[in-house]
Amino acid sequence: MRTPLPTALVEVEVADAPRRGVPSVVLTTAEVGKTDRDGDGWVLGVGEGEPGTWRAAAATLVRELAEADAADSYDVLLPADTEAERVRAFVLGATLGGYRFKVTAEAPPPRIKSLRLVVQDPGYADVLAAEAAHAYDLALATAFSRDLANTPSNTKDPQWLASTAAKQAKKLPGLKAAVHDEKWLTAHGFGGVLAVGGGSVRPPRLLEMSWQPPTATGGTPHVVLVGKGITFDTGGISIKPADGMHLMRTDMSGGAAVIAAMLTIARRNLPIHVTALVPCAENHVSGSAYRPGDIIRHHGGTTTEVTNTDAEGRIVLADALAYAVNTLNPDLLVDVATLTGAMKVTLGLRTGGLFATDDDLATRITTAGQQVHEAWWRMPLLEEHADAVKSDIADVRQCPPGPGGITAALFLRTFTAGLPWAHLDIAGPARSETNYNEVVPGGTGFAARTLAQLVENYTR
């Protein structure tokens, strides 16, 4: 069934960026009048009309239109009763559903360069534009996080990851970034990051990003986001099987989510003080690699007994959490990581694991996730396993016996000094092998939208 397209009020353009097919969206308000697109159209089914269905339908639409190769620009007529939440969902799906990442000498395949959302009520134009702009900002976070995760590790070493984020930060007024090298890490006692990165010829880094809004006062909350930045993970001495190791280029997806969220927080000029810490390292095998049985001294002095060098994520996160507690005086700590295979087995590939020290924080995160279409499931911090984290020869041990996702979270909790804290384990949803909803194969950008929305909700 085909139908002509009527009056246009609000325009959303989706265009190719010059690098790696990253979508770029520009929002403008069009003059009331006839659409300048002639001809027949398609009918897009959205089921019973839930926002999630709108998101999935929009992603499918842009893929199908690209395959049809009929035009590079389309109008989309929205029903008269379209709600704001559905508009946000549609823009997310349409912007991200056509994302592609491919390093190739071939010419890029056809893509949809613009979609114009068409509404019939002039009074709704400003509302639609604001909602679409919000969704676009979140989509940018996801797309940039995907870019970082998908970049191959022969390019993406710790220095590249940290400096790429710092370069992007310079483009946004008020967002500062510092890249701390191995000499700084040594001077400040980051024994965990240095141990994990010690097996690589490409040394580790700590990325520190800070957003201090002009309107900040002494009572402005300070949120610290910590993301795992392992740019490639062989497993170290406890080496991984060859099958699937190529996917470890995305093992820094937690760090990518934190970086992308910070860019969005600054872009939206949110009135919250936010700091991001991304410990960046390669976990390699060499004569200088750290070993099972080693004892590591973290920033602040706490020692860890190493039992498995493939559990390196918690080692670098521990340094960053301790640094945040000792130096930054945060009101809230949130860390994000592709941390445990146990969580991948427990929750599958589309849901993130959430550990939190209090109910209010857990609710804030799940609510933010619902608002931006990312699913989280709260996991318990079971106290009966807390003693297992203690070591006989150090303060704590890296891989205690018991349920792996839970004991990893309990290990990290020992570095938070009792502050409000949440741990997000995204080992499952950080990567995908198939298209579903707005997700495409490769790094998914999962958690970037939740983090940005979590901070935005603190402003309300």
Side-chain angles (χ1 to χ4, degrees):
M1 180 178 180
R2 297 179 180 273
T3 180
L5 300 174
T7 306
L9 293 176
V10 176
E11 182 173 310
V12 180
E13 294 184 356
V14 184
D16 281 325
R19 295 171 63 241
R20 299 194 294 272
V22 182
S24 175
V25 177
V26 178
L27 303 173
T28 62
T29 302
E31 296 291 334
V32 177
K34 294 293 183 180
T35 177
D36 57 3
R37 275 73 164 174
D38 297 324
D40 295 334
W42 297 24
V43 173
L44 180 65
V46 291
E48 296 183 0
E50 300 91 346
T53 307
W54 278 66
R55 174 173 47 99
T60 301
L61 175 65
V62 295
R63 293 171 190 145
E64 292 295 325
L65 291 175
E67 289 294 326
D69 195 20
D72 60 8
S73 181
Y74 293 88
D75 291 335
V76 178
L77 172 63
L78 300 178
D81 61 348
T82 301
E83 298 174 353
E85 187 177 3
R86 293 171 178 170
V87 171
R88 290 198 302 269
F90 188 92
V91 171
L92 278 175
T95 305
L96 294 170
Y99 175 96
R100 294 188 183 98
F101 184 100
K102 187 174 183 179
V103 180
T104 177
E106 299 175 0
R111 290 175 56 85
I112 306 305
K113 292 185 178 179
S114 67
L115 289 178
R116 187 163 67 170
L117 302 188
V118 180
V119 296
Q120 302 174 64
D121 180 2
Y124 192 48
D126 290 342
V127 174
L128 175 60
E131 296 297 336
H134 186 188
Y136 165 58
D137 286 337
L138 294 173
L140 273 185
T142 301
F144 187 66
S145 183
R146 290 178 182 180
D147 277 352
L148 295 177
N150 287 328
T151 299
S153 295
N154 58 327
T155 296
K156 180 178 58 188
D157 66 2
Q159 175 63 30
W160 183 94
L161 179 59
S163 63
T164 296
K167 289 175 184 177
Q168 293 298 316
K170 287 181 180 180
K171 300 178 182 179
L172 296 169
L175 182 59
K176 299 178 181 179
V179 178
H180 302 305
D181 64 14
E182 67 272 29
K183 294 180 181 179
W184 186 97
L185 292 169
T186 300
H188 290 79
F190 278 69
V193 178
L194 290 165
V196 172
S200 174
V201 296
R202 304 196 287 184
R205 296 287 185 265
L206 175 70
L207 170 68
E208 184 170 357
M209 304 174 75
S210 178
W211 166 250
Q212 183 79 31
T215 57
T217 65
T220 300
H222 184 193
V223 177
V224 175
L225 307 176
V226 180
K228 172 184 170 183
I230 301 299
T231 56
F232 194 78
D233 182 19
T234 66
I237 298 295
S238 309
I239 196 165
K240 293 178 179 292
D243 291 344
M245 193 189 288
H246 64 286
L247 298 175
M248 290 301 101
R249 64 179 175 270
T250 67
D251 205 28
M252 34 57 67
S253 292
V258 165
I259 292 166
M262 287 296 290
L263 298 175
T264 301
I265 289 163
R267 190 178 295 113
R268 293 187 63 76
N269 198 30
L270 299 183
I272 299 292
H273 182 196
V274 187
T275 301
L277 301 172
V278 181
C280 307
E282 287 187 329
N283 189 21
H284 267 298
V285 184
S286 76
S288 58
Y290 78 131
R291 296 156 292 266
D294 285 0
I295 295 178
I296 293 169
R297 187 175 299 276
H298 295 279
H299 177 86
T302 299
T303 57
T304 290
E305 174 193 357
V306 176
T307 54
N308 184 337
T309 64
D310 193 24
E312 82 297 329
R314 67 196 71 182
I315 296 294
V316 299
L317 290 175
D319 268 352
L321 289 169
Y323 176 74
V325 168
N326 295 331
T327 308
L328 301 178
N329 192 29
D331 297 291
L332 170 64
L333 281 168
V334 180
D335 74 73
V336 192
T338 51
L339 204 67
T340 66
M343 197 54 53
K344 187 175 180 179
V345 171
T346 302
L347 296 178
L349 304 181
R350 301 190 185 186
T351 303
L354 160 63
F355 298 84
T357 51
D358 65 77
D359 295 341
D360 176 68
L361 176 55
T363 299
R364 283 179 177 272
I365 292 171
T366 54
T367 298
Q370 290 167 358
Q371 290 172 327
V372 301
H373 303 276
E374 292 183 334
W376 299 94
W377 189 266
R378 189 178 183 185
M379 300 294 294
L381 286 165
L382 298 174
E383 291 302 325
E384 55 263 39
H385 295 287
D387 284 344
V389 177
K390 297 177 182 178
S391 168
D392 293 333
I393 60 172
D395 293 319
V396 291
R397 55 177 165 174
Q398 176 197 31
C399 295
I406 293 171
T407 55
L410 290 169
F411 171 86
L412 291 174
R413 190 182 65 173
T414 64
F415 295 88
T416 63
L419 289 170
W421 162 75
H423 162 57
L424 307 181
D425 191 331
I426 60 171
R431 292 184 293 271
S432 177
E433 297 297 316
T434 61
N435 288 324
Y436 66 90
N437 299 331
E438 82 284 5
V439 173
V440 299
T444 64
F446 190 88
R449 302 200 299 263
T450 295
L451 294 175
Q453 189 65 44
L454 173 69
V455 173
E456 180 143 353
N457 288 349
Y458 265 86
T459 70
R460 298 173 181 172

